[in-house]
Amino acid sequence: MNNTNTLLAQMLDFIPRSQFQKLVKEHGTEKSSKSFTSWAHFTTMLFAQLSGQSGLRSIEDGINQQRSSLYHLGVSTEVKRSTIAYANEHRDASLYEDLFYAV
């Protein structure tokens, strides 16, 4: 049986999880987070960018349709648009800036 990775999985392979977790600890982005991790947030936003989603409702619908395959990428819970909006508003974007320079 052939195993092919999605474009999203191939893009996430470029990001070392250990480096990402180190940056999360440095920036403290998961201090008040319960289930929506910084990795899930990053994966969700990368999905939105790659699939050309323009609004929170379309991001929510698109990512939740792929939820069974996203479990293996680190998105284990259903993503709500209010959760995405809250994370976008309250998480420090410098984590992703530092990740950009690290990669």
Side-chain angles (χ1 to χ4, degrees), residues 13-82:
D13 283 343
F14 287 112
I15 311 296
R17 283 293 284 269
S18 59
Q19 178 71 25
F20 187 85
Q21 291 299 21
K22 179 182 168 195
L23 291 171
V24 166
K25 285 185 181 182
E26 284 178 17
H27 292 279
T29 58
E30 291 186 357
K31 279 191 264 187
S32 60
S33 143
K34 291 183 181 172
S35 63
F36 194 59
T37 64
S38 295
W39 182 257
H41 185 211
F42 175 70
T43 304
T44 301
M45 299 315 291
L46 184 61
F47 168 82
Q49 189 68 33
L50 291 175
S51 61
Q53 305 298 328
S54 59
L56 293 175
R57 189 177 306 272
S58 62
I59 295 170
E60 176 189 33
D61 291 341
I63 197 111
N64 287 329
Q65 287 177 0
Q66 303 297 324
R67 194 169 61 158
S68 62
S69 61
L70 292 176
Y71 173 80
H72 301 289
L73 299 177
V75 181
S76 58
T77 60
E78 184 177 10
V79 178
K80 303 279 188 190
R81 66 180 180 273
S82 60

